[in-house]
Amino acid sequence: MRLALERGVPQEEHQKLALGSLTDWDAARIFLEVVRCGSFRSAAERLDLSINLVRRRIDDFERQIGATLFTRDVHGTRLTDEGSLVVSAVERMEAASFDLLRAGNSVANTLSGEVRVAVTEGLGTFWLAPRLVEFQQAFPNILVDLHCAMRSADVSRHEADIAIHLSRPAALDVKLVRLGRMHLMFFASEKYLQTHGTPKTAAELVKHRLVMQVADQTAAKETFESLFPGFSQRDLLVMRTNVSSANYWAVANGAGIGVFPTYAYAAGGKIIPLEVELHRPFDIWLSYHPGSGRIPRVRHMIDWLIDAFNPSKFPWFKDEFIHPREFKPVYKSESLTHRFGEFSAEGR
């Protein structure tokens, strides 16, 4: 590149020439992920690749471009000036590739094919998955790829067709629908309460055994610090896990007191809500790319998901907190316990 610049070729033109001869989009995609994550290691984890493979692909990409794109030192990975120029060009390539995928989807058989839905692990496992039979019965030729994880998916980067989040996505080029609100409470099993007693206040919780789920979208660290100032997690926790299912089974079998959405009680969870003040709400957001929303199979899934969180049908998703003991008077539809298997902990 320096030779090209010395011969009077403008830097931007040289970058266009280099990118014009680029044949390896996968390496460019990895380059973009390293930029967005800020390190080789974080990008490798996000892409589910080894860090050595990521480094090799970046070396290959730099050879194709003909420039050094990153500097590496003890402080991490930083873009060079040449790398900054390449970022915007690769982002345009990424956007064009997504447009091509959406165009291909729109001309395909519209009520068959695959719809990728990304959702938090708890909502996916305990709320959506048991209900998806409704969608499957209505649209038997649509394959639903339900990806349950606590990392928020970015639909603008085609990580999913539809994503459900517990905080409002910041991307500007996506469509957003606020589905409702999820309310959290402290719960424990009857077995635990018979053995250790029932706490009535947050101050009494410090004398109990606590189980906590720690994940990106749960704000667990902030909640713990606000409830138990001056205490470390090691002082109070007997178990910490990253997934809702493990968290549930631990509490349901008497390991300790945990935090769950109120809908766990409506779905038949074998756990008892406590009167300890928490009532922490999370707004539930659905996002999708405008182009994807015009594909009929994706549109049908969007409409189904909106209905699956409809606060008028399911009062535990209303903006205002409704205590689980009030569910029976306000919920007029069929019982959910048979559909969700009652989460039975007996015999386990």
Side-chain angles (χ1 to χ4, degrees):
M1 172 171 282
R2 290 190 180 90
L3 290 175
L5 293 173
E6 288 168 4
R7 291 196 298 268
V9 178
Q11 191 172 29
E12 292 83 355
E13 291 301 317
H14 182 80
Q15 291 291 354
K16 289 177 182 177
L17 290 171
L19 287 169
S21 61
L22 181 65
T23 59
D24 188 355
W25 161 242
D26 193 54
R29 180 179 65 89
I30 292 173
F31 161 75
L32 206 52
E33 202 63 54
V34 173
V35 172
R36 288 166 172 161
C37 292
S39 73
F40 285 69
R41 185 172 300 281
S42 296
E45 291 175 356
R46 189 176 177 96
L47 294 168
D48 196 23
L49 300 173
S50 72
I51 189 170
N52 289 333
L53 178 58
V54 169
R55 288 189 174 121
R56 287 198 302 271
R57 299 314 302 274
I58 293 301
D59 290 342
D60 292 342
F61 190 59
E62 288 180 328
R63 281 194 290 273
Q64 291 182 62
I65 297 299
T68 299
L69 305 178
F70 293 108
T71 58
R72 293 85 151 172
D73 56 34
V74 294
H75 301 292
T77 301
R78 298 183 182 182
L79 275 175
T80 62
D81 291 342
E82 293 84 355
S84 297
L85 285 173
V86 172
V87 169
S88 60
V90 175
E91 285 179 334
R92 290 193 297 273
M93 293 172 62
E94 179 187 53
S97 71
F98 293 164
D99 288 342
L100 181 61
L101 285 171
R102 294 183 187 107
N105 283 335
S106 66
V107 299
N109 188 350
T110 55
L111 289 183
S112 65
E114 181 177 335
V115 178
R116 296 172 301 144
V117 180
V119 62
T120 59
E121 186 263 341
L123 284 173
T125 300
F126 293 124
W127 185 250
L128 290 183
R131 301 175 56 82
L132 272 171
V133 64
E134 299 172 359
F135 186 85
Q136 292 171 328
Q137 289 171 344
F139 306 102
N141 295 322
I142 296 177
L143 167 64
V144 180
D145 181 353
L146 187 67
H147 183 75
C148 303
M150 290 310 295
R151 180 183 68 81
S152 187
D154 186 347
V155 296
S156 67
R157 295 177 56 203
H158 213 65
E159 293 179 349
D161 298 308
I162 307 165
I164 294 175
H165 319 259
L166 295 183
S167 59
R168 184 185 178 117
L172 300 177
D173 57 344
V174 301
K175 294 286 189 179
L176 295 176
V177 180
R178 185 175 175 272
L179 297 175
R181 180 168 290 174
M182 185 175 75
H183 300 271
L184 302 185
M185 288 186 70
F186 286 104
F187 286 82
S189 69
E190 183 176 355
K191 176 182 177 181
Y192 176 88
L193 297 177
Q194 288 175 349
T195 303
H196 299 279
T198 304
K200 301 295 184 183
T201 66
E204 292 180 15
L205 284 176
V206 301
K207 303 174 184 177
H208 283 263
R209 301 167 65 82
L210 303 181
V211 177
M212 186 170 74
Q213 180 191 0
V214 179
D216 290 348
Q217 295 196 56
T218 61
K221 180 176 181 292
E222 294 79 0
T223 300
F224 181 91
E225 291 174 350
S226 67
L227 285 169
F228 308 112
F231 287 90
S232 70
Q233 292 182 15
R234 288 190 176 184
D235 294 331
L236 304 180
L237 297 184
V238 295
M239 179 176 170
R240 184 170 55 202
T241 180
N242 65 322
V243 294
S244 302
S245 49
N247 191 41
Y248 170 75
W249 287 118
V251 174
N253 282 282
I257 294 171
V259 173
F260 298 97
T262 54
Y263 73 77
Y265 188 79
K270 297 298 184 182
I271 47 179
I272 298 171
L274 304 182
E275 300 303 321
V276 178
E277 183 72 22
L278 175 62
H279 305 170
R280 184 179 178 89
F282 284 90
D283 285 350
I284 308 170
W285 292 89
L286 179 148
S287 68
Y288 62 95
H289 190 278
S292 297
R294 292 190 291 270
I295 301 170
R297 65 174 178 273
V298 178
R299 184 70 252 176
H300 282 299
M301 174 56 77
I302 292 170
D303 293 341
W304 183 84
L305 287 168
I306 291 172
D307 188 64
F309 288 92
N310 186 344
S312 298
K313 295 174 64 175
F314 307 114
W316 38 88
F317 293 131
K318 286 180 176 289
D319 285 355
E320 65 273 19
F321 171 78
I322 297 177
H323 197 284
R325 65 172 172 265
E326 299 172 0
F327 285 169
K328 284 186 178 180
V330 298
Y331 178 62
K332 304 302 182 182
S333 299
E334 65 171 340
S335 171
L336 299 176
T337 55
H338 71 282
R339 183 193 298 267
F340 291 83
E342 300 186 17
F343 292 40
S344 176
E346 296 177 5
R348 292 179 181 268

